[in-house]
Amino acid sequence: MYEQIGFFKKKTEQLLKKYYQLKVEHQLMNKQFFTGSKISYETDLFQKHFSAYSNYLYDQNFIWLKKEPSIDELAAIEENFMENWMNDAPMFKFNFTPSDSFLAHLETQGFSTEKMLIFTIPSNQLASTSFPKFEISKVHTATLTEFLNSKFTQDLIYGEEFAKINQHFLLTLFKEDILDLFIASTNQAVIGFATVIKHPTNIEIYDIYTAPDFRNQTVAKSLQQYIANFYQDTTIVVVADYSDTPKEMYKKLGYKISGLFYQAQK
């Protein structure tokens, strides 16, 4: 009898531990990094997210799957809830572990699936004030145009329409005091920049960029260290593609993987 009680107690503790782990991951997914979206429709199976800024921005218009759907359920979601997006790039996001058959079906339907890692680090572990090679500064109204011009040039590789929409999006966040901007420069030329989303309990490095001629010269590292020094006593969050090179940089800087999710896009 006592052995049975001990067994059920251990099993209950394991289930509770798993529940709280999933709860924390869900909170991390929905509260600690920026989606730019609002929920317009929800069922037990999924949430439909639409961008508060533009339905052209694919990463902000998506379906969040709460659990793995059947083939018929997936087809119905795509047909009924993804048909009117301007970007013509349907996207699913989810943080359950997908089955091989589900991933294979997504591929047959033209979706490319990638794993996204959520990295975090306390700002005081990353902060530094020594940047001998170049100058780093926070963007203010007087230097906003300089930043926007640099960002627009970088975004042109995705097309002029996207570059214009993204510039409007960033400018809106900046005016709403949701977004802070930082630039690295040398000889009065911008060589890199970072955008930071301010959350109630943490900050998120939303985007970081180094000009091609200055890569592998610690520009991205220095931007992050400057940001960590600027926002003291908080947690820094970054999201990186599992297959991208930057994730190795984050590991070297001391970031820890605190969660993950998947996104599948046509």
Side-chain angles (χ1 to χ4, degrees), residues 26-191:
H26 180 75
Q27 290 173 338
L28 185 64
M29 171 67 202
N30 286 283
K31 294 184 178 180
Q32 288 192 302
F33 69 88
F34 185 75
T35 62
S37 64
K38 297 179 180 180
I39 299 172
S40 63
Y41 186 80
E42 183 170 10
T43 70
D44 291 339
L45 180 60
F46 70 92
Q47 297 172 339
K48 180 182 180 182
H49 288 246
F50 75 97
S51 174
Y53 302 94
S54 172
N55 59 351
Y56 187 88
L57 297 168
Y58 73 90
D59 196 41
Q60 298 178 26
N61 296 278
F62 60 91
I63 298 294
W64 174 256
L65 297 173
K66 299 179 179 180
K67 56 185 177 181
E68 184 169 309
S70 68
I71 291 176
D72 290 341
E73 288 171 333
L74 192 70
I77 292 171
E78 185 176 359
E79 179 180 357
N80 296 318
F81 295 97
M82 291 182 162
E83 56 186 8
N84 297 319
W85 289 353
M86 279 177 58
N87 56 40
D88 196 29
M91 174 175 282
F92 292 107
K93 296 186 181 184
F94 50 92
N95 64 352
F96 56 80
T97 302
S99 66
D100 291 341
S101 60
F102 179 65
L103 292 176
H105 177 70
L106 285 173
E107 186 175 353
T108 63
Q109 297 305 302
F111 285 90
S112 175
T113 304
E114 57 187 357
K115 185 188 296 185
M116 308 300 293
L117 299 175
I118 304 167
F119 289 91
T120 58
I121 189 172
S123 57
N124 60 5
Q125 291 184 17
L126 185 59
S128 175
T129 56
S130 177
F131 312 106
K133 294 184 177 180
F134 32 78
E135 180 183 352
I136 297 178
S137 60
K138 184 175 182 289
V139 173
H140 298 283
T141 303
T143 53
L144 180 59
T145 300
E146 183 181 20
F147 166 82
L148 290 174
N149 288 340
S150 297
K151 181 60 177 167
F152 185 82
T153 300
Q154 183 221 353
D155 285 342
L156 281 175
I157 61 173
Y158 305 109
E160 186 173 352
E161 185 176 12
F162 172 80
K164 290 179 179 178
I165 290 172
N166 199 39
Q167 186 160 101
H168 174 72
F169 161 63
L170 294 173
L171 187 58
T172 301
L173 292 188
F174 182 80
K175 290 179 177 179
E176 292 176 352
D177 198 30
I178 297 172
L179 182 75
D180 281 342
L181 311 168
F182 297 85
I183 55 175
S185 58
T186 183
N187 298 323
Q188 298 184 329
V190 175
I191 60 172

